[in-house]
Amino acid sequence: YIELSGKLTPPLAPGNPGEFDYPSYLAKENIFYILNLKEATDIKLLKQNTNIVYNLTSAYRHKIVSLSEEALGYDTASILLGMLLGKKENMDEKQYRDFQKTGIVHVFAVSGLHVGFLLLFCHGITSLLALSSRNRFYFSLIILLAYGTVVGWPISVIRASIMAGLSIFALYVSRERSLLDCLGLAGIIIIFLDPHAPFKVAFQLSFVATWGLIYLYPLIKNSLAIENKFLAYLLIPLAAQLPTIPFIAYHFNLLTPISILTNVLLTYIIGIVVIAGFILITFMIFLPALFTFFIMPIGALINFVLLINDSLVNLPWAYIYVATPHILLIGIYFLALALFIYYLKDITRNSYLIAALLLITVFILVICLPANLFNRGKLEVVALDVGQGDSILLKSPQGKFILVDGGGSDFTDVGQRKVLAYLHHRGIRDLYLAVNTHPDTDHLLGLETVVNDISVKHIGIPATLKDEDKYQELKDIASSKNIPLTTLHKGQILKIEPGFNLEVIYPALDNELKTVDNDQSVVLLGKYKSFSILLTGDIEKKGIEKMVSEYDLPMVTVLKIPHHGSKGSLVAKLYEETKPKYGIISAGKNNNFGHPHQDVLHQLDDIGAISLRTDLGGLIQIITDGENLSIKRPMAN
């Protein structure tokens, strides 16, 4: 029992398409508010938990974690604990994403795979002890209940445990097993306990993958009369993954051609790790010396798994980021799967097979279409919602993507959660140019994440700040990926394509305002036919005054308001000379800085400009043919 003192707030809704919907996720767990605590003293322990089962389970988990980390080191132990207990929070994020890309991340979900290995372990022990069928049933049931309690009963374990329990019971009473009936009953029980379950990713993936294994696999194997053991081994991961493809594309924007090979090569090795881990945590957990001795070969196997996975993830076309498929496209995929099943039931009907293959090909081709094929001949300006920061995505009329800043925070990976989430949602797999206007955290850190994850042809940074230590990480990424790094200064014309260029209008190489990074922000002027946009970074009063005195600013269609609309960005001459029709303000919702300042908003009203704010409606998308434009706010209420 604890006492908390803090501020209740509803979780923030996603600001960009493709971004994780945290409020929806929490609502499915019947959670609707977040309590923010400021000080350690805001939480007080009133009474210790006296639940014996909880305390024993907690102590047991703690013992496993501490002994594993002591014997294997933090990084290797985090992989083992992920495989055994589903404890993913300590895993390196890049490693976890690499397992996603190779299609084997399910080994960290504590799934039916683990329960299957656990039953193998139980079978081996009960056979060794020559137990009766009744005692085998009780022993296996107790082990399943104990394991489920230790890992916290995720949906996949509930599903697998119900199926396993029913199957063991059927053997005990000498009844025929129907795995499909077991799967259906498990689903009914889970939905009865949690009506939100069908809308959770874990439920969807667990049930469709299991359906693939218990229905699709034997159907393919028997219909095609496959006797070759190697082909049968290949069929197992294929049958499990075929029904999961649209779900993985929809939720994670991934297509993983390498996954069949990865699962064939690594699943059985991981099975050895899991079974050996079960034995270790069951019999040697309170014998630290023996635990440490026997865990070392398990650690060696984990390092081998990492070596193989790291090699496979870097193969060409191992994985592909794909656009989020429309629900109708998912329907087409499952229609194809139904036709394939009809073919397997009567393999003389080749027309069913041809139709199924054509529909699957359509599904894959559509989700893999290059993002630059859309809106051809039109310029796109997208102000992403990155909270308190800046990130502007441009798509040239001929389809070149340019990212100006990437947001960033010391507390969360904005680049991964927001910028990459949007790029992946659209199926954007490469950038022609990535520009950082200045090395403040809320502009640079997210850009580093993006450049490290996807293909980038060129990188640009301010010439006057090129020696800043803050740029070392970006320089290292550029060097490791052989990306040319260009220093930007006034007078340069970035020739993107015929008819669309970006002109650097500030700062000059001899700029003397070198005490504040904001006043060294790169300012870009983009023009396409009658449309123009001025991107100003975080330039503030002194920088703005210098820029307007040294450059004859034209009228523009869109002005990205400097420095999130702070009062320091209010230099009347900037607004009077540019006379923008629209002013984009990128700021965090309910931010502590008071951005945008009311005086800036009044200035925009005075010149007749329409304010477009990310803090009030999320992402802003402007699409123009150079003469006319449309504005879309897909996340606005």
Side-chain angles (χ1 to χ4, degrees):
Y1 294 86
I2 56 175
E3 179 185 280
L4 301 170
S5 302
K7 182 180 180 182
L8 277 174
T9 56
L12 288 177
N16 308 294
E19 186 180 336
F20 180 62
D21 191 342
Y22 194 43
S24 175
Y25 168 79
L26 290 179
K28 293 183 182 74
E29 303 296 336
N30 293 314
I31 298 170
F32 303 97
Y33 290 91
I34 293 172
L35 184 66
N36 296 290
L37 312 180
K38 288 187 176 181
E39 305 292 340
T41 53
D42 290 338
I43 179 167
K44 297 175 183 177
L45 178 65
L46 302 180
K47 182 182 176 182
Q48 290 281 3
N49 194 326
T50 56
N51 185 300
I52 295 174
V53 174
Y54 173 84
N55 288 331
L56 287 175
T57 304
S58 181
Y60 184 60
R61 279 179 66 95
H62 180 72
K63 191 78 173 175
I64 295 169
V65 172
S66 60
L67 284 177
S68 300
E69 291 180 350
E70 185 179 332
L72 297 178
Y74 186 83
D75 292 336
T76 306
S78 67
I79 301 293
L80 175 63
L81 296 170
M83 290 179 180
L84 281 181
L85 307 178
K87 184 179 168 63
K88 300 183 286 289
E89 59 268 24
N90 293 339
M91 285 183 62
D92 178 77
E93 289 188 12
K94 182 183 181 302
Q95 275 186 343
Y96 187 77
R97 288 196 295 271
D98 284 349
F99 280 108
Q100 279 186 320
K101 293 170 183 175
T102 55
I104 203 167
V105 75
H106 57 86
V107 300
F108 301 104
V110 190
S111 61
L113 181 76
H114 296 69
V115 174
F117 289 139
L118 185 61
L119 289 179
L120 282 176
F121 164 66
C122 292
H123 177 74
I125 294 295
T126 54
S127 297
L128 188 65
L129 297 174
L131 298 180
S132 66
S133 59
R134 174 186 292 183
N135 289 332
R136 286 188 178 197
F137 170 68
Y138 289 140
F139 178 84
S140 300
L141 195 60
I142 289 168
I143 293 294
L144 281 175
L145 291 172
Y147 180 65
T149 302
V150 169
V151 299
W153 292 108
I155 284 176
S156 52
V157 170
I158 296 174
R159 189 268 310 154
S161 297
I162 292 171
M163 292 183 67
L166 290 170
S167 297
I168 297 168
F169 181 72
L171 288 173
Y172 169 58
V173 298
S174 301
R175 293 286 299 273
E176 182 182 349
R177 290 179 300 166
S178 171
L179 292 177
L180 276 177
D181 286 345
C182 291
L183 181 65
L185 183 57
I188 291 169
I189 293 171
I190 291 171
I191 293 171
F192 178 77
L193 296 172
D194 179 8
H196 292 297
F199 305 101
K200 297 179 181 179
V201 181
F203 181 96
Q204 295 166 8
L205 292 178
S206 178
F207 274 81
V208 297
T210 305
W211 174 82
L213 284 172
I214 65 177
Y215 179 76
L216 205 54
Y217 168 69
L219 189 61
I220 297 171
K221 186 174 181 290
N222 296 333
S223 299
L224 303 181
I226 294 172
E227 300 294 338
N228 185 290
K229 287 188 176 181
F230 178 73
L231 286 178
Y233 286 141
L234 282 176
L235 271 182
I236 293 171
L238 177 65
Q241 288 174 56
L242 267 177
T244 68
I245 286 172
F247 290 99
I248 292 171
Y250 183 83
H251 292 295
F252 305 110
N253 297 109
L254 274 172
L255 188 65
T256 55
I258 200 69
S259 60
I260 294 174
L261 178 59
T262 311
N263 278 275
V264 169
L265 290 177
L266 296 182
T267 299
Y268 300 103
I269 298 173
I270 290 169
I272 296 171
V273 170
V274 172
I275 292 174
F278 286 150
I279 295 171
L280 201 63
I281 65 176
T282 303
F283 296 107
M284 299 177 192
I285 187 65
F286 297 108
L287 299 169
L290 286 177
F291 187 98
T292 301
F293 177 77
F294 283 106
I295 203 174
M296 299 312 291
I298 297 177
L301 282 177
I302 289 172
N303 288 326
F304 179 72
V305 168
L306 289 174
L307 178 66
I308 297 297
N309 198 72
D310 289 345
S311 301
L312 293 176
V313 77
N314 290 310
L315 291 176
W317 303 104
Y319 65 93
I320 306 165
Y321 282 117
V322 296
T324 303
H326 191 276
I327 193 69
L328 291 177
L329 199 59
I330 293 174
I332 287 173
Y333 184 90
F334 281 109
L335 175 60
L337 205 56
L339 291 170
F340 181 55
I341 290 170
Y342 279 120
Y343 164 74
L344 291 174
K345 290 183 175 181
D346 183 359
I347 59 174
T348 62
R349 298 183 177 183
N350 292 328
S351 58
Y352 282 12
L353 177 62
I354 293 169
L357 292 176
L358 283 174
L359 290 177
I360 289 174
T361 301
V362 167
F363 174 85
I364 292 174
L365 285 178
V366 171
I367 63 174
C368 290
L369 282 175
N372 59 14
L373 290 181
F374 300 93
N375 287 326
R376 298 290 283 191
K378 294 182 179 180
L379 175 69
E380 281 188 54
V381 178
V382 181
L384 280 78
D385 175 14
V386 290
Q388 188 62 23
D390 260 19
S391 186
I392 305 288
L393 177 71
L394 306 175
K395 184 197 73 68
S396 72
Q398 292 182 20
K400 292 179 179 177
F401 289 99
I402 299 152
L403 186 65
V404 181
D405 293 326
S409 168
D410 290 323
F411 306 103
T412 181
D413 191 346
V414 172
Q416 188 69 44
R417 289 195 311 106
K418 288 180 168 285
V419 185
L420 280 173
Y422 177 72
L423 298 182
H424 293 161
H425 167 74
R426 288 189 55 175
I428 298 172
R429 295 184 279 272
D430 56 78
L431 297 174
Y432 177 75
L433 173 65
V435 174
N436 175 246
T437 57
H438 66 295
D440 276 3
T441 295
D442 59 335
H443 292 247
L444 176 61
L445 290 193
L447 193 74
E448 292 173 350
T449 299
V450 172
V451 171
N452 202 31
D453 190 84
I454 66 176
S455 174
V456 178
K457 194 168 184 180
H458 303 282
I459 296 175
I461 60 173
T464 55
L465 298 172
K466 62 183 176 64
D467 295 324
E468 286 281 318
D469 292 340
K470 296 176 184 177
Y471 277 129
Q472 191 56 52
E473 178 69 18
L474 187 63
K475 289 177 181 178
D476 289 343
I477 295 170
S479 176
S480 66
K481 299 182 73 172
N482 297 315
I483 305 171
L485 194 147
T486 303
T487 56
L488 304 176
H489 57 83
K490 179 184 174 183
Q492 290 174 311
I493 304 291
L494 307 180
K495 297 180 180 180
I496 309 302
E497 64 191 31
F500 176 64
N501 296 319
L502 291 172
E503 180 183 358
V504 185
I505 68 171
Y506 182 87
L509 274 173
D510 59 353
N511 194 314
E512 73 278 5
L513 299 176
K514 298 192 177 182
T515 56
V516 180
D517 286 354
N518 285 354
D519 283 328
Q520 298 296 310
S521 290
V522 167
V523 178
L524 299 170
L525 177 63
K527 293 181 180 179
Y528 176 53
K529 297 181 182 177
S530 299
F531 177 88
S532 56
I533 182 169
L534 190 64
L535 302 175
T536 56
D538 269 2
I539 191 170
E540 293 188 272
K541 186 174 182 180
K542 289 184 178 179
I544 294 171
E545 289 174 344
K546 186 169 183 61
M547 178 179 68
V548 297
S549 68
E550 295 177 349
Y551 190 92
D552 186 15
L553 289 172
M555 290 191 294
V556 296
T557 315
V558 177
L559 173 66
K560 203 291 292 185
I561 306 303
H563 197 218
H564 321 293
S566 70
K567 191 171 183 179
S569 69
L570 185 56
V571 175
K573 193 173 181 182
L574 169 66
Y575 299 88
E576 291 166 357
E577 289 191 2
T578 57
K579 291 184 173 60
K581 294 179 181 177
Y582 302 94
I584 291 177
I585 302 173
S586 182
K589 191 171 184 178
N590 301 320
N591 65 84
N592 295 325
F593 306 98
H595 296 162
H597 197 277
Q598 286 299 314
D599 290 351
V600 174
L601 297 176
H602 292 322
Q603 177 69 52
L604 289 171
D605 286 339
D606 289 345
I607 61 173
I610 298 173
S611 300
L612 302 171
R613 298 168 53 175
T614 61
D615 62 322
L616 294 185
L619 176 141
I620 302 158
Q621 183 181 30
I622 298 174
I623 303 174
T624 176
D625 60 4
E627 304 297 337
N628 303 302
L629 62 79
S630 62
I631 299 172
K632 297 181 179 180
R633 305 297 303 271
M635 309 307 291
N637 293 326

